[in-house]
């Protein structure tokens, strides 16, 4: 896999940033998480006056071979149908991108349908879906590298346009299945505690999903052995859209750009990214705690504190986008609020 040079943000300005936040005309700590966010973004950008410019959102779409095993209530054609819907502005992701001024890129990295002639979709198709990981690795090493590079390329283009914060989402029927497996293997959590309803499975459907995934993990252990690496686990189970998101997260961290993290699937990608490069975590802002089974536990195990808890489980990056207003408020706080001296107000704490 491509190597990234990811460094933890320097702490040289931490004291100056914290002092500026503490001396704004408010009681110390009274703006809670906004103050923490302002500190994090200021450290990422290495300035006491951070900016949120040209925010970019990448919507990666791909299909999964494991869908053939009936692990999702939705059929795979929903992936390409929704991708086309996004180009017409009709998805949840479109609404939130319009609301918050995000530049939306819709990227086909592996949809099982010919979208080459659809205006508004960036064609970076690796294959028409991954292989079925019940029987074999989802992708080859070459395909994994291609997906990582596609995600990194999207970040490069956004940063070239002046983006200081990026967000990513996904469209891929059955992608809660690899997410559940990654959570189980990377965090050493029993698989049963990681498997949820996805797009709406009933209890019988969840039991079937668990059976398929548990057999997949056993086959993985037989095939890869006890020496399987993080990269092996990513390649064996991941979707092209998920690995592209990992590449985007890592490249953003390498370029010292803030990364907004969405729900269960994107949090699983963040987990994989952090297993590869622990310092990437410092650049991540977790938008929300979703309604998918296991997401709250995954966030807790990662030490991530989501900004919202609205019962969301749509995907597409919508939960993270919902949280952007809070991030914007944090940056406006440190940039626009007056301090006690300039406002001629006596410190009252």
């Amino acid at each position: 896999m491509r190597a990234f040079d990811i460094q933890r943000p320097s702490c040289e300005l931490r004291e100056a940033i914290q002092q500026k936040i503490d001396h704004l005309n408010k009681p110390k700590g009274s703006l809670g998480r906004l103050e923490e966010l302002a500190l994090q973004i200021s450290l990422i950008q290495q300035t006491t006056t951070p900016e949120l410019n040209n925010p970019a959102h990448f919507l990666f779409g791909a299909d999964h071979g494991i869908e053939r095993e009936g692990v999702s209530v939705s059929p795979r054609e929903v992936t390409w149908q929704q991708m086309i819907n996004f180009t017409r502005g009709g998805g949840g992701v479109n609404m939130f991108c319009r609301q918050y001024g995000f530049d939306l890129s819709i990227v086909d990295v592996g949809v099982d349908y010919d979208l080459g002639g659809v205006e508004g979709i960036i064609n970076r198709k690796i294959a028409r879906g991954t292989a079925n990981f019940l029987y074999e690795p989802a992708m080859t090493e070459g395909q994994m590298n291609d997906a990582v590079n596609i995600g990194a390329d999207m970040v490069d283009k956004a940063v070239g346009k002046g983006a200081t914060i990026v967000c990513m989402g996904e469209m891929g029927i059955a992608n809660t299945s690899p997410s559940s497996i990654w959570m189980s293997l990377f965090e050493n959590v029993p698989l049963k505690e990681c498997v949820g309803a996805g797009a709406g499975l009933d209890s019988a459907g969840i039991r079937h999903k668990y059976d398929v995934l548990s057999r997949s993990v056993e086959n993985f252990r037989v095939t890869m052995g006890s020496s399987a690496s993080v990269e092996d686990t990513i390649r064996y189970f991941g979707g092209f859209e998920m690995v592209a998101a990992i590449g985007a997260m890592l490249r953003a961290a390498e370029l010292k750009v803030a990364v907004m993290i969405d729900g269960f699937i994107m949090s699983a990608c963040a987990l994989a990214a952090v297993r590869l490069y622990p310092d990437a975590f410092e650049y991540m802002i977790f938008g929300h705690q979703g309604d998918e089974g296991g997401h709250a536990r995954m966030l807790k195990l990662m030490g991530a504190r989501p900004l919202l808890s609205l019962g969301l489980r749509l995907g597409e990056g919508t939960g993270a986008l919902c949280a952007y207003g809070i991030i914007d408020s944090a940056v406006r706080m440190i940039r626009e609020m007056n301090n006690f001296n300039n406002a001629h107000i006596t410190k009252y704490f």
Side-chain angles (χ1 to χ4, degrees):
M1 182 184 286
R2 168 177 177 166
F4 294 89
D5 181 18
I6 297 175
Q7 304 293 328
R8 180 183 292 264
S10 170
C11 287
E12 289 185 9
L13 285 177
R14 175 181 284 273
E15 185 175 350
I17 297 165
Q18 191 63 60
Q19 284 186 359
K20 181 177 181 181
I21 293 170
D22 289 344
H23 287 83
L24 299 175
N25 55 341
K26 58 171 181 58
K28 184 177 178 180
S30 61
L31 283 176
R33 290 294 302 280
L34 297 186
E35 299 188 22
E36 297 173 17
L37 279 171
L39 176 62
Q40 180 185 5
I41 296 170
S42 296
L43 286 172
I44 289 171
Q45 297 184 10
Q46 290 292 288
T47 179
T48 58
T49 54
E51 298 180 353
L52 297 179
N53 298 326
N54 305 102
H57 185 74
F58 317 120
L59 193 288
F60 298 111
D63 281 300
H64 293 249
I66 197 65
E67 178 271 340
R68 301 297 192 194
E69 302 300 321
V71 295
S72 173
V73 71
S74 302
R76 72 168 43 204
E77 58 261 30
V78 172
T79 302
W80 68 260
Q81 291 167 354
Q82 276 285 49
M83 292 289 281
I84 292 174
N85 181 46
F86 297 146
T87 69
R88 298 168 179 164
V93 65
N94 301 97
M95 173 187 68
F96 291 122
C97 282
R98 286 192 296 268
Q99 179 179 0
Y100 294 114
F102 274 72
D103 180 24
L104 173 61
S105 297
I106 306 166
V107 190
D108 173 11
V109 286
V111 177
D112 188 11
Y113 191 82
D114 183 7
L115 296 171
V118 180
E119 185 177 355
I121 293 180
I122 299 169
N123 182 11
R124 299 296 300 272
K125 194 189 298 286
I126 297 168
R128 291 181 62 147
T130 55
N132 186 342
F133 62 64
L134 177 59
Y135 306 107
E136 59 184 313
M139 63 187 75
T140 66
E141 289 186 14
Q143 290 174 330
M144 178 178 66
N145 290 334
D146 287 345
V148 168
N149 287 330
I150 289 167
D153 289 346
M154 296 307 301
V155 171
D156 285 338
K157 290 176 182 176
V159 172
K161 296 178 183 178
T164 59
I165 188 167
V166 297
C167 186
M168 51 225 57
E170 38 60 42
M171 184 63 230
I173 296 303
N175 55 16
T176 61
S177 291
S179 300
S180 297
I181 291 174
W182 281 355
M183 176 185 172
S184 175
L185 295 181
F186 290 145
E187 293 287 9
N188 196 29
V189 177
L191 181 62
K192 201 160 201 172
E193 298 175 21
C194 305
V195 176
L201 289 170
D202 59 17
S203 57
I206 294 173
R207 286 194 299 271
H208 171 72
K209 180 178 178 180
Y210 168 72
D211 177 66
V212 170
L213 299 189
S214 61
R215 285 188 285 132
S216 299
V217 171
E218 287 305 311
N219 291 340
F220 165 74
R221 286 173 172 151
V222 170
T223 302
M224 305 303 292
S226 59
S227 61
S229 66
V230 173
E231 290 186 19
D232 290 332
T233 306
I234 292 171
R235 179 175 68 86
Y236 201 99
F237 297 106
F240 294 131
E241 84 282 23
M242 299 170 71
V243 179
I246 292 171
M249 292 173 187
L250 294 176
R251 180 58 174 157
E254 184 175 43
L255 294 177
K256 302 186 185 309
V257 170
V259 183
M260 297 165 58
I261 307 297
D262 191 47
F264 184 62
I265 295 151
M266 287 296 99
S267 294
C269 294
L271 174 61
V274 170
R275 285 294 177 270
L276 291 168
Y277 293 91
D279 286 340
F281 184 81
E282 304 299 324
Y283 297 86
M284 297 176 176
I285 300 171
F286 290 79
H288 76 115
Q289 177 183 306
D291 205 32
E292 172 67 18
H295 190 210
R297 185 168 183 180
M298 181 191 293
L299 293 171
K300 184 176 181 180
L301 289 168
M302 292 177 69
R305 298 174 61 206
L307 296 174
L308 302 173
S309 180
L310 301 175
L312 305 177
R313 55 181 175 87
L314 175 60
E316 304 171 16
T318 50
L321 291 167
C322 270
Y324 181 73
I326 296 173
I327 300 168
D328 184 41
S329 293
V331 170
R332 288 177 182 271
M333 177 202 73
I334 194 171
R335 288 183 60 86
E336 299 178 15
M337 278 187 71
N338 209 342
N339 60 41
F340 285 101
N341 289 337
N342 290 337
H344 304 293
I345 297 173
T346 301
K347 267 194 172 182
Y348 53 93
F349 65 91

